[in-house]
Amino acid sequence: MRVSAKVDYAVRAAIELAASEPGRPVKGDRIAQAQDVPLKFLENILAELRHAGLVRSQRGVEGGYWLARPAEEISVADVIRAVEGPIANVRGVGPHDVVYAGSAERLRDVWIAVRASLRSVLEQVTLAELARGELPAAVEELANDPEAWQPH
């Protein structure tokens, strides 16, 4: 899986909002500074998160951004889908829609399994957990496996 800069910035911005004081809008430049993200790029990402219903915003001196739902109800998968669409696709379509013939016929099942595997992690981890520096036990176990750290 390739994590784009857009996804990385979006998740980091959402975690920053989850870690902020509830009910207090956070200025875009503060998020950009805290996460070392280019402000212009971040503003576009925040607009997409707002359009997806994950973030709210208010203009003006007292304005800024805040999560539209409790951080416990927003998964990393939700943020990824908001800025990039489906978690896994093959040539721009869902893996369930690809058709292979002959010796490659079972490849579709591999892509389906990859999507399921990604979902099993990304849909479990919430912004609230990340903001607290925690992970679900199953994800923690995967991350602690020395084999997971191998670059192959």
Side-chain angles (χ1 to χ4, degrees):
M1 174 183 180
R2 181 182 164 276
V3 177
S4 68
K6 184 178 187 180
V7 164
D8 183 51
Y9 293 166
V11 173
R12 288 166 47 200
I15 295 167
E16 194 68 28
L17 291 174
S20 68
E21 187 179 333
R24 303 263 333 209
V26 181
K27 299 281 186 197
D29 59 345
R30 185 172 144 228
I31 299 168
Q33 222 172 26
Q35 291 299 319
D36 194 26
V37 174
L39 180 58
K40 206 65 178 152
F41 196 15
L42 178 64
E43 288 173 343
N44 291 330
I45 289 168
L46 289 167
E48 289 185 45
L49 293 174
R50 189 178 66 241
H51 181 72
L54 298 179
V55 167
R56 289 183 146 157
S57 67
Q58 178 179 317
R59 295 179 190 239
V61 177
E62 298 295 318
Y65 299 90
W66 64 94
L67 294 176
R69 300 190 325 243
E72 294 82 11
E73 296 177 11
I74 302 174
S75 70
V76 172
D78 294 330
V79 177
I80 293 171
R81 287 183 185 111
V83 297
E84 261 194 7
I87 294 295
N89 65 62
V90 179
R91 299 183 323 262
V93 298
H96 54 281
D97 289 330
V98 296
V99 177
Y100 299 107
S103 60
E105 188 174 357
R106 294 298 312 264
L107 184 56
R108 178 176 76 165
D109 296 335
V110 171
W111 300 146
I112 296 283
V114 167
R115 179 178 63 185
S117 180
L118 288 171
R119 282 179 173 173
S120 74
V121 172
L122 299 173
E123 290 178 350
Q124 271 189 74
V125 181
T126 68
L127 297 180
E129 290 166 322
L130 290 169
R132 290 190 308 261
E134 300 172 358
L135 292 174
V139 175
E140 187 83 57
E141 186 177 331
L142 286 170
N144 287 335
D145 180 353
E147 189 65 25
W149 291 87
Q150 296 302 314
H152 55 350

